[in-house]
Amino acid sequence: MILETELPAFHEWIAWAPLLWLAVVGGVAVLGLLFGSLVAVVRHGPVAGLEITGKVLLSSVWDLFNMLPRSLRWLNWLVNKGALPYRVLAVVMLFIVFLGLAFVILDRETPLSLPLIVICSVAVAVVFLVIFFMFVCLVCEFLCMSPRRLGALAWLAVKDSLRRRVLIVFILFLLLLLFAGWFLDPGNEHPLRLYIGFVLTATSYLVLLLMLFLSALSLPTDLKNKTLHTVVTKPVRPSEIVLGRMLGFIALGTLLLVVMGAISYIFVVRGLNHTHDVLPGSLKAVAPGDDPAKGDVPLKGTSSMANGHRHNVLLGPTGNGRLEMAQDHFHRVVAKQEGDKTRYEVGPPEGLRIARVPVYGKLRFIDSQRHEADKGTNVGDEWTYRSYIEGGSLAAGVWSFEGVTPQAFSDQLQLEMTLGVFRTYKGDINKGIPGVLLLRNPKSGLTVETKIFESREFSTDVHRFPRKLTPMTAYVLRREEDAEGKVKYVRDELPGAMKSRYDLFDDLTDDGRVEVWLQCLDAMQFFGTAQPDLYLRAQDASFALNFAKGYFGIWMQMVLVVSFGVMFSTFLTGPIAMIATVGTLVLGFFRDYMVELALGKTYGGGPVESFIRLLTQDNVVSDLPAGIRTTVAHSVDAVLEKAIGAMAQVLPPFGRFECPDYVAHGFNVPADWIAERGLTALGFAVALFVVGYFFMKTREVAR
Amino acid sequence: MPNDVIIEARNLTKVYRDFWGRQKVRALKALDIEVRRGEVFGLLGPNGSGKTTTIKLILGLLFPTSGQVLCFGRDATDVTKNERIGYLPEESYLYKFLSAEETLDFYGRLFKMSRRLRRQRTSELIEQVGLTHAKKRQLREYSKGMTRRIGLAQALINDPELILLDEPTTGLDPLGIRDMKEMILDLRRRGKTIVMCSHRLDDVEDVCDRIAILYEGELKELGRVDSLLKVRDVTEIHASGLSEKAQREITQLIQREGGEVISVGNPTTTLERLFLDIIAESKAHPGRRVRGVKES
């Protein structure tokens, strides 16, 4: 499993995301407005067409003025016909301000020539002016909206949906859970993944499909039955119709998700809960000489079968002990003496429902001369995800961590890692490759070699460092930078004698920063690592909360589905709106690929070039033969790639809202993830509302 | 007084176009009408003559192709004008899954009405339209007449100044029609302005002060009902206490003037007659305003 760990911190993300959002939404809005005006001009003639566009833009400003208290009505002259010269003057002045701003910025930030700067400034100023007007109109529209009407319309949407047998979906969900026992294999190696995967998938499919149907069909049905006529002839604003519906469906979806989430949680908890019996007949002494009949000796044996698995039992001399790890969990065993018989009480499964909080570091590599490098050795693996550390040399992988404080980690540092191993010779295949972990203080350079371990492939290795560390050896690794900026580490001896104990937090961290160095000890063998392969594990978060976060992911998807469904249904008929919504969401899944395509990161070039390769059966890596055909293909591709890139920015990153992997694998969903995705979903919902509002406003309800 | 003009249509034209912008139907051709405060204004015409289009343009449900409608001095697309308007659509387009009470409460919430006022208006209106016995039932169980009544009730929820009624009597039985007409007249007595369209001549004749007759999107006739129905080339004299001699003299006078006495009186025609005449005339001379009778 690869978890997304290149997640930017929230404060970094928030610095550029709103700007990007504004650029995308602003761009789409301007294009939409131009397109709308063009349609209006074609259909109604140039004068009437532009008048309609103007009216659409300005009517909310006009409405706002109508709502002013009488004492402020004199402001009406601003929007009255009589004030036309003043308004034109205001627009011209605003345009000049935008023009000046655009000119100064373009002049300072770009190396363009003067005529180009002038042309670009005019274009930018026009776009700014349109965005400004749209923004003003939207603000006015928001101020004119009434919560009471919004509430009434949202209530209607909920009531309408309930009438459309929402309950059937709910009953379907319950039935699915009731019969889940038939097809959920209890003997699965990772039962939590299975259960979480099942409930999250079932819920998301049911809820998303239901919301798709409801949101895309609701407005068109109202238009077809003409029930909307009765509503829009009341003082209801188009924005309220769109937003009321969105809010109603979101409220309904939220309610469904909360109830389904609660039921799912109980289902998961109860489904995974089980206990075993210790089979007394299977208990044998661990040491061959001991006699189990005498008691007070360590025993091992097996447990009874439950949930399709059994555990190895390991009991201490007192009779207490545990059922060892199987299927991601263990049980504690307490021995109770009843007369001359010992009864073993087995506790509930532990370690199964967890939410690990990994603290990821930044990975860099050190080569065999202790020079810093971006990447490790390339062993020719076809998958370049991991980089390799050469064994038996000074080469190392270095993870720098931050936030390592006693508060977050209590009195020990737990480190978990998954290593890939590349063997240049087979050796003893049953034995792991030895490696060593070093802890280094990035400020003082104090480095402590702590433990030698044996690699275990394809499983997570856990290492615990107690607060008081006993070093195998200690020295200082001094960072040196040469004239070219190359970084080298030099080993110095300790200034004093080596201490018998080093304090993890006092000696080895500097303001919460610590480095973990990983070296491979076996010459000619390699350790393969990637940044997320090694992490520190802070104190666990609550599983129930993490489960709720998984549902929050579905909630955000639901918000997107509803927003798209309602937006499309403002100008498309029901079935078409549904297809458009599904189409957009499916395209959204390919968004990242489209961005890669637009940035030219994919093999085989752009659309035209790949098509030529397809026809000529050329491979994707070699360059096309130079010539006019290739030049034309590249030029067309350059334009198409820009278009694809722009389109990708507008599509919702639908797949990114899924987080069952986090929950199912027992990882805490980071707060940054929640904040960023939540804001992204909100950004989309707002943008879609605006688009839907303009469509609703420009359409004739009675057509 | 300009304040007395509630609806003002100037050169109002509506052309229906298909998806590609090609002209399909010219539903309304350069309509000019004014509706004044306190009158019952009837739009009369056969099916497809542009009555409903006119009402939808007034409500802002459609946008005019050219020309303008002002309602309370504001553009028809301005939603704030709806605060003072009640609209009963051709068929009551209501949400069938709501009960009568819920329906009125829902539409009441779309206006600036407190919860208390809403409750009060709801129960008043339900009683007024005679649905007290069925106020908790879903509208899907309602008969056509009952649906019409609740439709009227929702149009009156905000105590509007202007009420637009699209075919108010369709689907009603004779008793229902009589109730509806009485309700319209009652509204007029309370100073409301009413615009109704219908192809039922008797409805219009009974309740309207002024009518406009439309045919194929053109205004054919506009004026007060009583003056429109007056047959101007026939004189009707009702008198009592005339002597034989006086009667003879009058008859002689008529004969001397080239007249012929049919009966002495000044009858009115029926609206039906007038309507059919106008239709026949329009078919014979398309595009011409029939008699040019302006209101007296």
Side-chain angles (χ1 to χ4, degrees):
Chain A
M1 180 194 62
I2 311 166
L3 287 175
E4 188 190 10
T5 52
E6 308 277 341
L7 192 72
F10 183 67
H11 61 270
E12 289 167 16
W13 178 84
I14 197 74
W16 55 265
L19 268 180
L20 181 72
W21 183 84
L22 206 65
V24 171
V25 174
V28 171
V30 171
L31 282 179
L33 198 73
L34 289 180
F35 181 70
S37 324
L38 195 70
V39 170
V41 166
V42 167
R43 296 185 66 130
H44 302 278
V47 180
L50 288 178
E51 205 181 306
I52 289 175
T53 319
K55 232 187 233 173
V56 164
L57 270 184
L58 288 176
S59 63
S60 44
V61 184
W62 172 237
D63 292 348
L64 186 70
F65 275 101
N66 277 326
M67 287 167 65
L68 288 175
R70 291 216 171 268
S71 55
L72 286 174
R73 282 288 167 85
W74 54 270
L75 277 172
N76 265 349
W77 69 270
L78 271 176
V79 285
N80 264 334
K81 276 218 167 109
L84 195 66
Y86 296 101
R87 276 191 279 163
V88 171
L89 188 71
V91 170
V92 168
M93 278 167 64
L94 208 60
F95 181 73
I96 290 171
V97 169
F98 283 142
L99 192 67
L101 270 176
F103 185 84
V104 169
I105 292 171
L106 284 173
D107 191 36
R108 280 178 57 176
E109 303 291 331
T110 60
L112 298 174
S113 62
L114 190 67
L116 260 177
I117 289 183
V118 172
I119 294 170
C120 290
S121 311
V122 172
V124 168
V126 169
V127 169
F128 268 38
L129 203 63
V130 175
I131 291 183
F132 175 79
F133 272 109
M134 293 179 95
F135 185 72
V136 168
C137 293
L138 281 174
V139 169
C140 287
E141 189 67 32
F142 266 108
L143 292 176
C144 289
M145 275 198 237
S146 128
R148 183 176 27 83
R149 285 197 295 262
L150 270 181
L153 290 164
W155 170 84
L156 186 79
V158 172
K159 189 106 183 167
D160 185 23
S161 316
L162 291 178
R163 181 197 57 138
R164 281 169 203 249
R165 319 250 189 292
V166 166
L167 284 178
I168 289 185
V169 165
F170 195 65
I171 291 166
L172 204 67
F173 176 71
L174 284 183
L175 280 177
L176 213 59
L177 287 194
L178 274 179
F179 294 104
W182 288 0
F183 50 86
L184 284 185
D185 171 28
N188 191 286
E189 272 298 297
H190 305 287
L192 184 76
R193 288 181 205 179
L194 187 74
Y195 271 71
I196 297 273
F198 167 70
V199 289
L200 286 183
T201 315
T203 321
S204 70
Y205 273 111
L206 282 175
V207 172
L208 294 185
L209 265 180
L210 174 76
M211 293 328 273
L212 172 71
F213 272 94
L214 287 178
S215 61
L217 292 182
S218 153
L219 256 179
T221 313
D222 264 17
L223 279 164
K224 209 173 109 209
N225 296 341
K226 301 188 177 171
T227 36
L228 201 62
H229 291 196
T230 328
V231 174
V232 294
T233 48
K234 307 280 182 270
V236 175
R237 313 187 67 82
S239 53
E240 289 165 344
I241 292 178
V242 176
L243 193 60
R245 241 155 248 266
M246 279 185 176
L247 291 181
F249 291 130
I250 289 172
L252 182 80
T254 311
L255 188 76
L256 267 177
L257 280 177
V258 166
V259 176
M260 283 182 170
I263 294 174
S264 304
Y265 184 73
I266 295 167
F267 174 76
V268 170
V269 169
R270 293 192 55 130
L272 294 179
N273 202 14
H274 64 276
T275 184
H276 301 262
D277 290 323
V278 174
L279 300 176
S282 72
L283 290 175
K284 290 193 180 85
V286 176
D290 291 340
D291 181 7
K294 285 180 187 162
D296 294 350
V297 293
L299 298 171
K300 63 178 182 182
T302 53
S303 74
S304 65
M305 195 82 164
N307 268 26
H309 67 280
R310 54 174 92 236
H311 296 259
N312 289 327
V313 181
L314 196 62
L315 302 173
T318 54
N320 296 343
R322 54 199 252 166
L323 307 188
E324 292 200 301
M325 280 301 248
Q327 293 199 346
D328 294 339
H329 69 278
F330 65 92
H331 301 257
R332 286 181 208 279
V333 180
V334 179
K336 290 235 166 111
Q337 213 64 38
E338 283 175 359
D340 56 347
K341 267 192 160 181
T342 314
R343 195 166 58 82
Y344 297 103
E345 270 184 12
V346 180
E350 284 180 54
L352 192 52
R353 287 180 280 115
I354 48 166
R356 278 175 280 233
V357 182
V359 175
Y360 289 102
K362 266 208 129 31
L363 173 63
R364 65 182 196 275
F365 288 90
I366 306 291
D367 67 13
S368 48
Q369 266 77 49
R370 281 221 181 97
H371 283 106
E372 212 168 87
D374 288 338
K375 289 203 161 167
T377 313
N378 186 350
V379 295
D381 197 340
E382 70 280 3
W383 197 39
T384 49
Y385 173 62
R386 288 198 164 110
S387 236
Y388 287 79
I389 303 164
E390 193 183 337
S393 76
L394 295 173
V398 181
W399 283 262
S400 325
F401 294 97
E402 284 178 11
V404 181
T405 55
Q407 290 82 25
F409 288 83
S410 65
D411 58 345
Q412 66 165 3
L413 203 60
Q414 186 167 336
L415 182 149
E416 299 193 4
M417 67 178 176
T418 320
L419 287 182
V421 175
F422 180 79
R423 293 168 190 252
T424 52
Y425 64 94
K426 203 168 170 187
D428 184 355
I429 203 75
N430 288 322
K431 268 184 78 179
I433 306 292
V436 65
L437 284 166
L438 291 72
L439 294 176
R440 176 177 179 268
N441 184 329
K443 194 176 178 195
S444 67
L446 171 69
T447 306
V448 173
E449 260 180 40
T450 54
K451 56 164 78 173
I452 292 177
F453 63 93
E454 230 178 58
S455 72
R456 290 199 295 178
E457 284 176 76
F458 312 116
S459 69
T460 305
D461 240 348
V462 181
H463 300 280
R464 290 188 183 85
F465 300 102
R467 176 151 191 175
K468 297 288 174 204
L469 272 175
T470 315
M472 295 195 308
T473 106
Y475 43 86
V476 172
L477 273 178
R478 187 164 44 81
R479 188 172 187 273
E480 252 186 22
E481 208 165 319
D482 67 10
E484 290 161 25
K486 272 192 140 184
V487 175
K488 190 179 183 204
Y489 289 88
V490 183
R491 178 173 170 160
D492 291 341
E493 290 314 311
L494 288 173
M498 192 175 86
K499 288 200 243 174
S500 64
R501 292 279 169 91
Y502 282 100
D503 188 278
L504 197 63
F505 296 108
D506 294 343
D507 296 329
L508 287 165
T509 65
D510 166 50
D511 197 17
R513 292 182 304 139
V514 66
E515 286 180 0
V516 175
W517 290 51
L518 169 75
Q519 288 180 330
C520 177
L521 294 177
D522 205 343
M524 304 299 287
Q525 311 287 39
F526 293 82
F527 279 162
T529 55
Q531 191 156 292
D533 282 347
L534 188 149
Y535 57 86
L536 301 179
R537 193 169 153 191
Q539 280 173 329
D540 282 355
S542 143
F543 173 75
L545 194 65
N546 209 33
F547 190 80
K549 286 178 189 169
Y551 269 80
F552 183 69
I554 303 178
W555 185 83
M556 289 186 288
Q557 289 180 322
M558 187 269 296
V559 169
L560 280 185
V561 168
V562 166
S563 309
F564 269 103
V566 172
M567 188 277 284
F568 279 125
S569 68
T570 52
F571 64 101
L572 296 174
T573 55
I576 309 286
M578 234 162 69
I579 292 169
T581 309
V582 173
T584 315
L585 298 180
V586 168
L587 272 180
F589 273 111
F590 295 102
R591 183 185 193 261
D592 291 340
Y593 176 71
M594 286 166 79
V595 172
E596 269 180 25
L597 197 66
L599 294 176
K601 279 186 184 167
T602 50
Y603 288 114
V608 179
E609 192 184 329
S610 344
F611 188 65
I612 291 174
R613 286 182 196 277
L614 210 65
L615 289 183
T616 55
Q617 305 206 336
D618 213 347
N619 72 68
V620 292
V621 195
S622 61
D623 287 335
L624 285 185
I628 191 146
R629 190 186 68 178
T630 310
T631 313
V632 169
H634 282 164
S635 319
V636 177
D637 275 348
V639 176
L640 285 179
E641 278 168 4
K642 287 277 176 305
I644 290 174
M647 202 170 121
Q649 291 302 327
V650 184
L651 289 171
F654 204 62
R656 284 204 213 158
F657 292 101
E658 279 176 348
C659 58
D661 267 2
Y662 277 107
V663 185
H665 286 78
F667 282 93
N668 184 40
V669 181
D672 283 0
W673 189 96
I674 294 285
E676 288 172 25
R677 299 300 196 266
L679 270 181
T680 309
L682 188 72
F684 267 100
V686 170
L688 290 170
F689 155 67
V690 171
V691 176
Y693 155 66
F694 276 109
F695 274 120
M696 195 69 211
K697 185 143 185 163
T698 43
R699 78 165 293 156
E700 293 182 306
V701 173
R703 280 306 287 275
Chain B
M1 275 167 64
N3 248 352
D4 267 0
V5 178
I6 302 278
I7 297 172
E8 192 182 358
R10 291 271 163 267
N11 195 25
L12 192 61
T13 304
K14 178 69 194 175
V15 178
Y16 287 115
R17 293 173 193 273
D18 67 3
F19 181 77
W20 307 107
R22 292 175 302 191
Q23 182 170 333
K24 242 167 55 186
V25 180
R26 197 173 256 274
L28 210 56
K29 297 169 195 166
L31 180 73
D32 286 306
I33 47 168
E34 274 183 9
V35 177
R36 296 190 195 119
R37 186 179 298 278
E39 69 178 352
V40 180
F41 189 90
L43 285 164
L44 191 59
N47 292 333
S49 58
K51 303 182 299 275
T52 304
T53 302
T54 310
I55 290 216
K56 283 177 178 169
L57 283 165
I58 292 171
L59 284 164
L61 288 172
L62 294 173
F63 303 150
T65 310
S66 67
Q68 198 182 23
V69 211
L70 295 179
C71 202
F72 295 108
R74 291 187 207 158
D75 196 274
T77 47
D78 181 349
V79 293
T80 49
K81 72 173 195 313
N82 293 348
E83 297 273 3
R84 299 151 80 183
I85 292 182
Y87 168 55
L88 171 67
E90 199 170 341
E91 284 164 41
S92 299
Y93 303 128
L94 302 169
Y95 293 98
K96 301 246 184 296
F97 51 88
L98 299 180
S99 71
E101 265 186 337
E102 286 172 331
T103 302
L104 292 187
D105 191 65
F106 166 66
Y107 288 113
R109 279 166 78 184
L110 302 181
F111 291 96
K112 281 188 198 123
M113 288 168 81
S114 66
R115 178 186 287 261
R116 205 158 142 207
L117 183 63
R118 269 197 331 257
R119 289 232 175 104
Q120 189 195 332
R121 291 281 304 160
T122 303
S123 59
E124 270 173 23
L125 282 168
I126 285 179
E127 202 178 314
Q128 199 181 329
V129 297
L131 286 173
T132 318
H133 61 286
K135 63 180 180 186
K136 301 268 184 217
R137 276 162 60 191
Q138 285 195 358
L139 298 197
R140 70 171 85 241
E141 301 168 8
Y142 274 27
S143 71
K144 203 162 182 183
M146 289 161 89
T147 318
R148 242 18 227 155
R149 286 156 193 267
I150 189 69
L152 183 69
Q154 68 76 27
L156 299 178
I157 186 79
N158 55 328
D159 194 18
E161 292 170 45
L162 168 67
I163 300 150
L164 294 141
L165 307 170
D166 198 347
E167 309 278 357
T169 54
T170 28
L172 294 180
D173 57 13
L175 275 176
I177 291 175
R178 200 194 61 200
D179 287 352
M180 180 64 84
K181 282 181 189 169
E182 264 171 22
M183 225 170 306
I184 293 171
L185 290 174
D186 180 53
L187 287 169
R188 183 178 64 173
R189 273 194 291 280
R190 281 158 49 193
K192 312 284 181 201
T193 311
I194 294 160
V195 175
M196 59 180 279
C197 74
S198 182
H199 51 247
R200 291 188 55 124
L201 304 166
D202 49 342
D203 294 354
V204 175
E205 194 175 350
D206 288 348
V207 296
C208 290
D209 299 316
R210 288 200 308 144
I211 52 169
I213 297 180
L214 296 172
Y215 180 71
E216 289 189 342
E218 282 180 81
L219 180 67
K220 294 295 180 188
E221 193 61 88
L222 176 75
R224 295 195 65 80
V225 175
D226 42 13
S227 74
L228 281 179
L229 296 185
K230 188 174 279 176
V231 183
R232 283 163 196 277
D233 52 358
V234 178
T235 312
E236 193 176 61
I237 301 169
H238 285 271
S240 63
L242 276 185
S243 65
E244 285 280 318
K245 185 177 165 235
Q247 280 193 17
R248 239 192 340 268
E249 268 178 26
I250 290 168
T251 317
Q252 276 166 3
L253 181 69
I254 291 167
Q255 277 163 353
R256 196 162 60 232
E257 295 292 322
E260 185 196 346
V261 178
I262 308 151
S263 76
V264 183
N266 196 198
T268 51
T269 181
T270 59
L271 187 56
E272 189 176 355
R273 194 65 255 150
L274 175 75
F275 183 70
L276 293 177
D277 282 351
I278 288 174
I279 302 299
E281 178 75 3
S282 296
K283 278 185 179 154
H285 306 283
R288 197 206 294 173
R289 177 83 173 258
V290 179
R291 292 195 302 184
V293 180
K294 273 279 170 190
E295 46 210 290
S296 44

